[in-house]
């Protein structure tokens, strides 16, 4: 049959991932019923439970480990199930049974006790009780592995008697639950999404963003596997064997589901399979597909850095405004590299210097004013690839790929046993990875030779548990964002495709990917095509062109994890090995093998620990990581080898790390004193403060319980950061004299009442779909962008103000489109100008400010002038209708405030879910308290 494109669309960072536009519009109910009747062939053959499973002897959590991952474990649906869901809203078994408990915590947490935690979470004990076994499967008839699924959630519990069989079972189970999703993302990683998933502009944007980030050839992908194996001894060999077995399991499921005709229905809807004849092919997986998939996940969540060219532009704007010396001081004040008021994860005063400003910068290659141009990626557009929408999407994809404002998400709350009621550490932690249907992560338990763990893994990379628990310990991660990406200015020679490398004119390597698509009933996007092109140098891919001192140059992007996407597998292998991780020190040793930028947290029955991972390059003396430098040997990473892209890295002791601190919090905030991250915004107000304030209070009182720590997280998840930490100071200015204007006075009254009620964005009652204090929330949402502009633009000037907003966005309210998943994404308040407003307003009020801005901006620095600006903008904001503040989208009508904030499980397949009330909370989350240790 002819190859056809799918109807699911994925946008530049998943913000318009949705059900195929055209598949169901023409299907009337009767036709749907007819189709379903003809498609109700047997589903995946799974034998009913035939054996009992006793409680596991290797579980030291004492039934005090819990987890949750909405919407549900089942991420595959046959064509019949897809059509039933689209026509009647029927959910496949275990597709949404974790969504309601997850959502209910928003209103249910105030009365939470240890005994009721599992009303909102799953029991994450090892094994399955005999009366809870739903099915037992020997995949592909193997005798060395079984996949047991429990009745409540359908999570696979994989038990193997051989290492190969265990990993084969892990691959088989992954394909059972996420085959379509895995297929989508291997194509994203290869820059081939549109030929596979249709030409919708959103799909174009997504493949462009990630191919620019990691334009790998098949040889590049294989080389990364070979390197990881060759440099890691016996563990490298074991990792390769595990991956081969895992891929074999995936492919065995493809064969079984194809012959049994229970493969995901999206393959039919997209034209890859025929529902009548079963003609067509589901492409088998290769080991290199997993590297491509890993590059996507690493780019999204674990690659801190970038943005050096934008930093240079804003620095030059500051120097143009104030002169070189004062302009540099002003820029550094807004940059907040090491703000003394920033909330820290390691808060005992220990210093971990990294990427600080050098006293005498060397090798900087700042562009000549007005010469910077982004390097084009897309060429030879035809058909729908040339529409205005497609080109706008390309521009957004480029901006996202080149920014330093990586959306890290994820949080952690960990309390030492010295401060808990039981004397054992308590942890509530997990990653915020967006919300999808099916979810990017999947739950599993794996028990086999050298492996003993339960938790979450990214689909297609689940040969090991990546975030979860072992026999007597648990671990999790948050994105850290320290700078492992540098920009080099290569001087051009001969033409625009040659550059000087150590004095020799050298040709750039041209990498190309040509994609084409045609319309189908699933995706009506007209036929189109384009060619993506990246020039690659020894210093990485070209990102921009400019002149420096009149010389033509190209700026490149060099990432320490580039060509090393597979290396982290060793760290995850260690985390799953009960014979390796036995203590905080061995945990830290394991995560030192993960080259992506993450904060790692650990808890067992006695100890807690923290470690910041990533291959942090050792830079040449005087090189400032914030700005581009010349591509010359004097400014390269120490002992850098361009052939292997390896260099000297900072030793583990130089990474922020700690054991048994009284408590740890992390919400992508600053890790430790003097440790600079690449993204802006680590100042006096950060969403990490919401956790810090609550956990610190609990620890001061002592006797912390699991329920109390969950409640602290859940309470912070509903708070508007601007309201809790900045609004009181704004109102002090406004109320510094009597507010006589009736509109402003009414707004002040509403905002004050909201503050008194806790500054939460929460429903009036569970399921009401209306916010308490709705007017106050609307007013602040409208006021914040107006007050920021009125406060800062007059003093900074338009050019500098605009340049800094390119480094750090003004706002990140729940209803705004931002981050990896756009609007309806849950995660909020990571990036914004709240610290700037906080410091400036405090300065105007005469309060003490550490690490303040170089001048007072609000109202020219006077209290009366500032008050006038705040009242004026407040009146304007108060007059904005709900429809103006929340203009509506494909899900929500204009003016529907609750809906605008609500969380949507964005469809990556044919199954849809209802939206839920907003929470700023990890997607996958654990609650753990181990009672004993081996």
């Amino acid at each position: 049959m002819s190859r056809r494109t799918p109807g699911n669309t994925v946008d530049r960072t998943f913000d318009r991932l949705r059900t195929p536009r055209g598949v169901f519009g023409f299907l009337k109910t009767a036709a749907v019923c007819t189709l379903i009747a003809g498609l109700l062939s047997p589903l995946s053959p799974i034998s009913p439970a035939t054996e009992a499973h006793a409680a596991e002897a290797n579980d030291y959590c004492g039934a005090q480990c819990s987890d949750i991952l909405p919407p549900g474990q089942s991420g595959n649906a046959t064509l019949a199930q897809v059509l039933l869901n689209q026509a009647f809203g029927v959910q496949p078994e275990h597709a949404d049974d974790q969504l309601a408990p997850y959502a209910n915590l928003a209103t249910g947490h105030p009365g939470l006790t240890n005994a009721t935690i599992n009303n909102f979470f799953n029991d994450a004990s090892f094994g399955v009780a005999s009366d809870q076994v739903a099915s037992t499967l020997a995949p592909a008839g193997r005798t060395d592995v079984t996949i047991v699924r429990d009745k409540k959630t359908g999570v696979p519990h994989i038990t193997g008697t051989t290492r190969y069989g265990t990993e084969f079972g892990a691959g088989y189970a992954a394909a059972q639950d996420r085959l379509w999703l895995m297929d989508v993302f291997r194509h994203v990683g290869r820059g081939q999404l549109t030929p596979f998933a249709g030409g919708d502009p959103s799909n174009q944007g997504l493949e462009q963003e990630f191919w620019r980030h990691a334009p790998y050839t098949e040889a590049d992908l294989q080389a990364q596997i070979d390197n990881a194996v060759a440099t890691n001894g016996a563990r490298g060999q074991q990792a390769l064997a595990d991956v081969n077995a895992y891929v074999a399991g995936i492919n065995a499921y493809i064969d079984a589901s194809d012959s049994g005709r229970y493969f995901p229905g999206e393959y039919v809807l997209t034209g890859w399979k025929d529902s009548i004849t079963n003609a067509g092919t589901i492409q088998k997986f290769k080991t290199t597909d997993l590297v491509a998939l890993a590059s996507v996940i690493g780019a999204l969540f674990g690659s801190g850095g970038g943005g050096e060219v934008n930093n240079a532009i804003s620095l030059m704007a500051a120097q143009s405004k104030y002169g070189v010396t004062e302009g540099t001081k002003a820029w550094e004040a807004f940059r907040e590299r090491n703000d003394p008021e920033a909330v820290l994860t390691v808060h005992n005063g220990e210093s971990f210097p990294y990427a600080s400003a050098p006293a005498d910068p060397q090798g900087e290659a700042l562009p000549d004013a007005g010469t910077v141009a982004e390097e084009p990626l897309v060429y030879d557009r035809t058909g729908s690839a040339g529409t205005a929408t497609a080109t706008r999407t390309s521009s957004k994809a480029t901006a996202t790929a080149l920014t330093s404002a990586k959306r890290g998400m994820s949080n952690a709350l960990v309390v030492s046993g010295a401060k808990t009621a039981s004397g054992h550490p308590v942890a509530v932690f997990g990653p915020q990875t967006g919300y999808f249907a099916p979810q990017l992560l999947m739950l599993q338990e794996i028990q086999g030779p050298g492996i003993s763990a339960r938790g979450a893994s990214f689909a297609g990379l689940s040969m090991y548990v990546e975030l979860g628990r072992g026999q007597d310990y648990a671990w999790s991660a948050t994105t850290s964002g320290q700078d492992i990406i540098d920009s080099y200015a290569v001087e051009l020679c001969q033409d625009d495709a040659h550059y000087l490398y150590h004095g020799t004119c050298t040709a750039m390597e041209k990498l190309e990917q040509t994609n084409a698509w045609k319309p189908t009933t699933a995706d009506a996007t007209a036929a189109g095509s384009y060619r993506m092109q990246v020039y690659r140098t020894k210093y990485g891919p070209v990102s921009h062109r400019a002149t420096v001192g009149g010389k033509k140059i190209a700026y490149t992007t060099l990432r320490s994890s580039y060509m090393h996407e597979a290396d982290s597998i060793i760290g995850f292998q260690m985390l799953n090995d009960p014979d390796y991780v036995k203590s905080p020190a061995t945990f830290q040793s394991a995560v030192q093998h993960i080259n992506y930028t993450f904060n790692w947290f650990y808890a067992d029955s006695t100890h807690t620990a923290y470690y910041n991972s990533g291959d942090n390059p050792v830079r040449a003396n005087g090189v400032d990581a914030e700005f581009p430098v010349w591509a010359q040997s004097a400014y390269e990473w120490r002992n850098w080898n361009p052939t292997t892209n390896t260099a000297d890295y900072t030793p583990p002791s130089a990474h922020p790390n700690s054991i048994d601190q009284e408590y740890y919090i992390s919400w992508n905030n600053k890790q430790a004193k003097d440790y600079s991250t690449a993204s802006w915004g680590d100042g006096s107000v950060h969403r990490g403060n919401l956790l810090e304030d609550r956990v610190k209070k609990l620890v001061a009182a002592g006797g912390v319980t699991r329920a109390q720590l969950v409640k602290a997280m859940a309470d912070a998840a509903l708070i508007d950061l601007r309201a809790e930490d900045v609004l009181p100071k704004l109102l002090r200015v406004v109320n510094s004299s009597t507010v006589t204007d009736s509109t402003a006075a009414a707004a002040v009254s509403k905002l004050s009442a909201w503050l008194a009620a806790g500054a939460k964005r929460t429903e009036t009652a569970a399921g009401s779909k209306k916010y308490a204090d709705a007017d106050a929330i609307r007013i602040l949402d409208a006021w914040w962008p107006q007050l920021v502009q009125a406060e800062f633009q007059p003093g900074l000037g338009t050019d500098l103000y605009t340049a800094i907003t390119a480094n750090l966005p003004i706002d990140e309210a729940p209803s705004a489109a931002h981050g990896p998943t756009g609007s309806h994404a849950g995660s909020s308040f990571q990036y914004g100008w709240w610290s700037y407003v906080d410091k400036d307003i405090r300065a105007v009020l005469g309060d003490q400010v550490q690490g303040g801005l170089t001048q007072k901006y609000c109202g020219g620095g006077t209290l009366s002038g500032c008050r006038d600006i705040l009242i004026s903008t407040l009146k304007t904001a108060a007059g904005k209708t709900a429809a103006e503040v929340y203009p509506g989208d494909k899900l929500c009508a204009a003016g529907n405030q609750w809906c605008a904030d609500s969380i949507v499980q964005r469809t990556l397949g044919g199954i849809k879910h209802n939206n839920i009330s907003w929470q700023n909370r990890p997607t996958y989350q654990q609650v753990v308290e181990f009672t004993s240790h081996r």
Side-chain angles (χ1 to χ4, degrees):
M1 62 179 280
S2 61
R3 204 166 101 174
R4 299 166 63 190
T5 54
N8 285 82
T9 59
V10 187
D11 103 338
R12 64 177 180 89
T13 38
F14 319 145
D15 66 334
R16 286 189 295 276
L17 295 167
R18 57 184 180 270
T19 304
R21 293 174 301 173
V23 173
F24 304 105
F26 67 94
L27 293 177
K28 303 300 182 183
T29 301
V32 171
C33 293
T34 301
L35 277 171
I36 292 171
L39 292 167
L40 288 176
S41 54
L43 302 183
S44 177
I46 300 177
S47 303
T50 57
E51 56 185 289
H53 290 258
E56 301 298 321
N58 62 351
D59 188 342
Y60 294 82
C61 208
Q64 295 187 165
C65 285
S66 305
D67 61 16
I68 190 78
L69 179 62
Q73 180 66 24
S74 177
N76 282 351
T78 65
L79 179 59
Q81 290 171 325
V82 171
L83 294 176
L84 278 168
N85 176 263
Q86 293 287 331
F88 306 112
V90 176
Q91 292 287 340
E93 186 178 24
H94 301 309
D96 72 340
D97 48 18
Q98 296 184 62
L99 185 58
Y102 182 93
N104 291 342
L105 188 66
T107 52
H109 73 271
L112 191 72
T113 66
N114 283 352
T116 60
I117 284 175
N118 283 355
N119 292 344
F120 306 96
F121 293 85
N122 310 312
D123 180 359
S125 299
F126 281 172
V128 185
S130 58
D131 62 348
Q132 293 301 309
V133 174
S135 63
T136 301
L137 173 70
R142 297 188 66 90
T143 59
D144 57 353
V145 62
T146 58
I147 301 172
V148 173
R149 292 185 182 265
D150 60 82
K151 292 179 180 178
K152 182 179 179 182
T153 61
V155 168
H157 302 259
I158 303 147
T159 303
T161 57
T162 68
R163 182 75 173 225
Y164 186 95
T166 304
E167 289 296 350
F168 183 96
Y172 198 96
Q176 283 183 307
D177 289 337
R178 296 290 192 277
L179 177 59
W180 172 253
L181 177 69
M182 290 155 55
D183 217 344
V184 167
F185 275 87
R186 67 166 161 174
H187 285 88
V188 172
R190 291 177 175 276
Q192 299 170 348
L193 182 60
T194 50
F196 177 75
D200 189 278
S202 58
N203 284 355
Q204 297 176 42
L206 185 62
E207 70 184 3
Q208 291 166 29
E209 176 184 339
F210 288 101
W211 202 71
R212 180 188 286 275
H213 180 88
Y216 293 135
T217 65
E218 184 69 17
D220 291 335
L221 297 172
Q222 185 61 51
Q224 294 178 65
I225 296 173
D226 297 342
N227 175 74
V229 173
T231 58
N232 286 286
R235 283 202 174 272
Q237 293 292 335
Q238 184 64 67
L240 180 60
D242 290 346
V243 168
N244 284 333
Y246 180 82
V247 170
I250 294 172
N251 290 335
Y253 178 78
I254 291 175
D255 285 339
S257 65
D258 195 0
S259 61
R261 301 182 71 164
Y262 50 83
F263 49 80
E266 290 86 355
Y267 286 108
V268 174
L269 298 174
T270 59
W272 292 93
K273 294 290 293 181
D274 188 282
S275 63
I276 305 301
T277 66
N278 208 36
T281 301
I282 300 174
Q283 185 181 3
K284 296 291 185 65
F285 274 69
K286 302 181 292 184
T287 56
T288 50
D289 289 330
L290 275 56
V291 182
L293 209 159
S295 73
V296 175
I297 301 304
L300 271 175
F301 304 114
S303 297
E308 291 85 0
V309 174
N310 280 345
N311 289 349
I313 292 171
S314 60
L315 173 65
M316 293 166 62
Q319 292 175 342
S320 176
K321 171 73 175 177
Y322 298 114
V324 173
T325 301
E326 294 305 313
T328 302
K329 291 179 181 178
W331 187 90
E332 289 287 354
F334 278 92
R335 176 61 183 88
E336 298 178 318
R337 293 199 217 200
N338 286 298
D339 189 89
E341 297 181 329
V343 62
L344 305 175
T345 295
V346 179
H347 54 253
N348 61 5
E350 191 172 359
S351 174
F352 296 88
Y354 180 70
S356 298
D360 183 20
Q362 299 293 309
E364 284 186 353
L366 302 184
D368 297 331
T371 66
V372 174
E374 293 172 344
E375 178 77 350
L377 176 71
V378 179
Y379 297 82
D380 305 332
R381 294 177 181 268
T382 69
S384 60
T387 64
T389 300
T391 54
R392 282 195 303 269
T393 300
S394 294
S395 297
K396 292 179 181 178
T398 297
T400 302
L402 299 179
T403 184
S404 66
K406 306 295 194 299
R407 260 62 190 192
M409 308 190 280
S410 316
N411 69 29
L413 304 81
V414 183
V415 176
S416 164
K419 297 295 180 179
T420 65
S422 67
H424 301 299
V426 174
V428 177
F429 44 25
Q432 282 174 289
T433 54
Y435 295 91
F436 302 95
Q439 187 53 254
L440 302 185
L441 294 164
M442 56 173 286
L443 289 173
Q444 62 182 349
E445 178 186 352
I446 312 179
Q447 302 286 350
I451 300 177
S452 182
R454 174 197 163 113
S457 305
F458 285 101
L461 299 172
S462 58
M463 66 286 302
Y464 310 126
V465 170
E466 293 167 340
L467 303 144
R469 56 156 301 197
Q471 295 179 2
D472 54 6
Y473 60 93
W475 75 95
S476 190
T478 69
T479 295
S480 58
Q482 78 266 21
D483 198 344
I484 63 168
I485 301 174
D486 280 354
S487 180
Y488 287 91
V490 296
E491 185 176 346
L492 301 183
C493 57
Q494 186 173 318
D495 56 28
D496 288 347
H498 289 75
Y499 67 104
L500 289 177
Y501 174 67
H502 293 182
T504 300
C505 194
T506 304
M508 297 178 181
E509 181 183 7
K510 185 165 72 170
L511 304 173
E512 297 178 287
Q513 172 69 45
T514 299
N515 291 338
W517 55 88
K518 295 179 180 179
T520 69
T521 54
D523 184 351
T525 303
S529 67
Y530 55 56
R531 176 175 58 88
M532 293 189 290
Q533 172 184 297
V534 169
Y535 278 111
R536 184 164 64 181
T537 72
K538 293 181 184 294
Y539 297 92
V542 172
S543 64
H544 298 80
R545 305 274 180 165
T547 64
V548 177
K551 295 180 179 178
K552 293 179 67 175
I553 63 97
Y555 287 123
T556 69
T557 299
L558 185 62
R559 171 170 54 93
S560 68
S561 55
Y562 186 65
M563 291 296 294
H564 293 276
E565 314 289 356
D567 291 9
S568 293
I569 192 173
I570 302 302
F572 291 113
Q573 182 190 91
M574 291 174 170
L575 286 171
N576 283 243
D577 185 350
D579 292 328
Y580 190 88
V581 177
K582 297 181 177 181
S583 66
T586 52
F587 157 76
Q588 290 180 332
S589 176
V591 295
Q592 286 164 17
H593 290 80
I594 296 173
N595 65 347
Y596 290 125
T597 53
F598 289 110
N599 301 303
W600 293 95
F601 298 89
Y602 167 94
D604 62 25
S605 65
T606 307
H607 298 288
T608 62
Y610 162 75
Y611 185 83
N612 164 254
S613 73
D615 281 345
N616 295 355
V618 177
R619 296 178 174 88
N621 290 335
V623 167
D624 192 336
E626 294 291 310
F627 305 109
V629 294
W630 283 106
Q632 299 172 10
S633 58
Y635 311 119
E636 294 169 357
W637 296 340
R638 293 279 180 83
N639 291 321
W640 175 61
N641 182 336
T643 302
T644 59
N645 190 33
T646 55
D648 288 348
Y649 307 112
T650 59
S653 61
H655 289 242
N657 68 90
S658 171
I659 294 177
D660 289 334
Q661 188 173 261
E662 281 192 342
Y663 67 91
Y664 301 98
I665 66 92
S666 177
W667 209 347
N668 316 114
N669 51 280
K670 188 176 180 66
Q671 288 77 34
K673 182 181 178 182
D674 300 320
Y675 196 74
S676 298
T677 57
S679 54
W680 291 44
D682 284 337
S684 58
V685 177
H686 190 282
R687 66 182 183 179
N689 294 82
L690 299 177
L691 301 181
E692 171 75 10
D693 295 346
R694 287 158 176 79
V695 176
K696 188 174 183 179
K697 183 177 179 180
L698 288 176
V699 167
V704 179
T705 66
R706 282 177 292 138
Q708 286 178 324
L709 205 57
V710 172
K711 287 162 72 173
M713 176 281 302
D715 188 72
L718 301 177
I719 298 295
D720 189 307
L721 174 64
R722 305 163 304 177
E724 179 162 299
D725 280 5
V726 186
L727 182 57
K729 294 139 195 170
L730 295 170
L731 292 181
R732 282 177 59 195
V733 174
V734 171
N735 290 323
S736 60
S737 60
T738 303
V739 180
T740 58
D741 180 87
S742 60
T743 301
V748 168
S749 177
K750 291 175 181 178
L751 290 169
S752 299
W754 180 36
L755 271 178
K760 297 178 182 178
R761 303 173 78 101
T762 187
E763 291 176 293
T764 54
S768 71
K769 298 187 178 181
K770 292 182 180 179
Y771 277 157
D773 302 290
D775 278 350
I777 295 170
R778 171 187 56 81
I779 290 168
L780 184 59
D781 285 347
W783 190 24
W784 185 264
Q786 294 183 46
L787 78 86
V788 169
Q789 184 172 9
E791 181 178 354
F792 288 100
Q793 187 168 335
L796 291 172
T798 300
D799 290 347
L800 180 53
Y801 175 78
T802 301
I804 295 177
T805 60
N807 295 123
L808 183 67
I810 288 171
D811 198 9
E812 202 170 82
S815 62
H818 58 265
T821 52
S823 57
H824 302 294
S827 180
S828 307
F829 303 121
Q830 183 177 357
Y831 295 117
W833 281 42
W834 14 90
S835 287
Y836 303 160
V837 175
D838 173 68
K839 288 179 181 288
D840 189 46
I841 294 298
R842 286 160 55 205
V844 169
L845 286 165
D847 295 350
Q848 182 180 4
V849 180
Q850 299 180 59
L853 303 176
T854 55
Q855 69 180 71
K856 300 173 185 177
Y857 290 92
C858 188
T862 69
L863 182 60
S864 61
C866 183
R867 181 177 183 275
D868 289 344
I869 283 175
L870 295 184
I871 289 179
S872 174
T873 52
L874 178 58
K875 287 173 59 179
T876 302
K880 294 281 188 181
T881 66
E884 291 175 298
V885 180
Y886 312 105
D889 56 25
K890 293 184 178 179
L891 176 71
C892 306
N896 190 331
Q897 181 185 59
W898 176 90
C899 187
D901 277 12
S902 67
I903 292 171
V904 174
Q905 314 297 314
R906 298 194 174 273
T907 51
L908 289 167
I911 303 300
K912 300 186 297 184
H913 302 277
N914 294 328
N915 49 329
I916 63 173
S917 195
W918 176 72
Q919 298 180 67
N920 199 1
R921 175 188 174 193
T923 315
Y924 164 64
Q925 194 164 42
Q926 300 181 77
V927 180
V928 299
E929 183 178 14
F930 287 91
T931 58
S932 58
H933 197 69
R934 286 171 289 167

